[in-house]
Amino acid sequence: MLNFNAVRIPLQKITDPTISSSGVNLYVLRLDKTHPHISGNKWYKLKYNMEEVKRQKAEVVLTFGGAYSNHIAATAAAGKEYGIKTIGIIRGEELDENKNPTLRFAKECGMQLRFVSREEYRKIKIDPANYPIAQSPNYYIIPEGGTNAPAIKGCTKIASLIDIPFDYVCCACGTGGTLAGITISLKEKQQAIGFSVLKAPGYHKEEIIKWLAHFHIYTSANLHIEENYHFGGYGKHTPELLKFISDFEDQNGIPLDQVYTGKMMFGVYDLIRKNYFPKDSTVIAIHTGGLQGKLRPNPTLPKGEGD
Ligand SMILES: *Cc1c(COP(=O)(O)O)cnc(C)c1O
């Protein structure tokens, strides 16, 4: 089962020449090491949801996602681990699950896949109750991307895994749920920096402030969102980003994906180069996992990394 006390998460110091000469202490919290299949932050987002499923005695977990969604893969794996049926509503009618590694994995975990058109998907996403099958009282619905109150509660545990004093914590933002949980748990002087992986100005700040209020926090003083590192939008990438990822991997032996952690780390390095962080400050970059959606495995990584 998913047990917070059972996991030991490495905190890895980055010592490549750029960072060593910068005067900033950069560490990576390797949430990608949390679980082999319930990847990175998704483990924390699913933990209390799965407990809620058990408590409500729901029979099926129903959720939503795109064809390469880390959330779909993680939910399928969590369902398998908990012995709970899962249904994934997948955006796109023309998909062949046997040709797509994410969907093949989800299916192998026992997830039932239902393909819907983009238009239908949009409607379902806004109001899942619109979807006839979701009206079953025995279904537990997890929204697209997996962000809801139990997910954010799980993410409030992430900062407690950092066992050194720190000033900044950096995290990629998809829905912003993970960063919301992290922000809730920070001490007064600590700062959370979110890196938007989508082109949606203002969206993350607004969403996270809403979630903070849900948890009775009415200040966003220790929250900052960087919106200049989305590389064209969700799932988009450039040769510059891919080169950064492969250089970072070669120098530090830590795999990054091009959808989330690669963009965050690119942003962290850019901010360090621009002297955003005061000298001697300690910056924690959260490795949120997501390696199942990685574009090209890097053959130079140590065995077991990036595959
Ligand atoms: C899902 C995901 C995120 C985004 O998490 P949110 O809580 O939606 O902001 C970040 N990184 C990785 C690797 C992910 O899979």
Side-chain angles (χ1 to χ4, degrees), residues 3-35:
N3 182 348
F4 284 115
N5 302 323
V7 287
R8 207 133 276 111
I9 308 301
L11 187 65
Q12 206 167 326
K13 190 164 182 12
I14 300 300
T15 56
D16 67 40
T18 309
I19 302 306
S20 299
S21 62
S22 70
V24 169
N25 305 302
L26 176 63
Y27 293 82
V28 177
L29 183 71
R30 300 288 306 269
L31 294 189
D32 58 311
K33 299 283 193 190
T34 308
H35 189 285

Side-chain angles (χ1 to χ4, degrees), residues 41-42 45 70 145 147 172-178 257 260-261 288-290:
N41 63 333
K42 300 304 187 284
K45 294 179 82 168
N70 295 329
T147 289
C173 288
T175 65
T178 304
D257 77 294
Y260 293 104
T261 56
T288 39

Side-chain angles (χ1 to χ4, degrees), residues 39-42 45 69-71 144-147 155 171-180 197 204 234 257 259-261 286-291:
S39 159
N41 63 333
K42 300 304 187 284
K45 294 179 82 168
S69 163
N70 295 329
H71 167 66
E144 183 187 52
T147 289
C155 292
C171 182
C173 288
T175 65
T178 304
L179 193 70
V197 303
H204 286 116
Y234 183 73
D257 77 294
V259 181
Y260 293 104
T261 56
I286 307 291
H287 195 310
T288 39
L291 296 169

